[in-house]
Coordinates of all heavy atoms in Angstrom, one line a residue:
V71 N 138.4 113.9 105.0 CA 139.2 112.8 105.7 C 138.8 112.7 107.2 O 138.5 113.7 107.8 CB 140.7 113.1 105.5 CG1 141.1 114.4 106.2 CG2 141.5 111.9 106.0
G72 N 138.7 111.5 107.6 CA 138.3 111.3 109.0 C 136.8 111.2 109.3 O 136.3 111.0 110.4
G74 N 134.7 109.0 108.3 CA 134.2 107.7 108.5 C 133.8 106.9 107.3 O 133.0 106.0 107.3
K75 N 134.4 107.2 106.2 CA 134.1 106.6 104.9 C 134.5 105.1 104.9 O 133.8 104.2 104.7 CB 134.7 107.3 103.7 CG 134.3 108.7 103.5 CD 134.9 109.4 102.4 CE 136.4 109.7 102.6 NZ 136.8 110.6 103.7
S76 N 135.8 104.9 105.2 CA 136.4 103.6 105.3 C 135.7 102.8 106.4 O 135.3 101.6 106.1 CB 137.9 103.6 105.6 OG 138.6 104.4 104.6
S77 N 135.4 103.4 107.5 CA 134.7 102.7 108.6 C 133.3 102.3 108.1 O 132.8 101.3 108.6 CB 134.6 103.6 109.8 OG 135.8 104.0 110.2
A94 N 138.6 97.9 104.4 CA 139.0 99.2 103.9 C 139.7 99.9 105.1 O 139.0 100.4 105.9 CB 137.7 99.9 103.5
A95 N 141.0 99.9 105.0 CA 141.8 100.4 106.2 C 141.2 101.7 106.7 O 141.2 102.7 106.0 CB 143.2 100.5 105.8
A96 N 140.7 101.7 107.9 CA 140.3 103.0 108.5 C 141.5 103.7 109.1 O 142.4 103.0 109.7 CB 139.2 102.8 109.6
D97 N 141.7 104.9 108.9 CA 142.8 105.7 109.4 C 142.5 106.2 110.8 O 141.8 107.1 111.0 CB 143.2 106.8 108.5 CG 143.2 106.4 107.1 OD1 143.8 105.4 106.8 OD2 142.7 107.1 106.2
S103 N 147.9 108.2 106.7 CA 147.7 107.7 105.3 C 146.3 108.1 104.8 O 145.3 108.1 105.6 CB 147.8 106.2 105.3 OG 146.9 105.6 106.2
F104 N 146.2 108.4 103.6 CA 144.9 108.8 103.0 C 144.5 107.9 101.8 O 145.4 107.3 101.2 CB 145.0 110.2 102.4 CG 145.3 111.2 103.5 CD1 146.6 111.7 103.6 CD2 144.4 111.6 104.4 CE1 146.9 112.6 104.6 CE2 144.7 112.6 105.4 CZ 145.9 113.1 105.5
T105 N 143.2 107.8 101.6 CA 142.8 107.0 100.5 C 142.8 107.8 99.3 O 141.9 108.6 99.0 CB 141.3 106.6 100.8 OG1 141.2 106.2 102.2 CG2 140.9 105.4 99.9
D127 N 135.4 105.0 97.5 CA 135.7 106.0 98.6 C 136.5 107.2 98.1 O 137.6 107.0 97.5 CB 136.4 105.1 99.6 CG 137.1 105.8 100.7 OD1 137.3 107.0 100.6 OD2 137.5 105.1 101.7
Ligands
MG18 MG1 139.5 106.3 104.5

Side-chain angles (χ1 to χ4, degrees):
V71 65
K75 300 179 291 299
S76 305
S77 303
D97 311 313
S103 58
F104 297 103
T105 319
D127 164 346

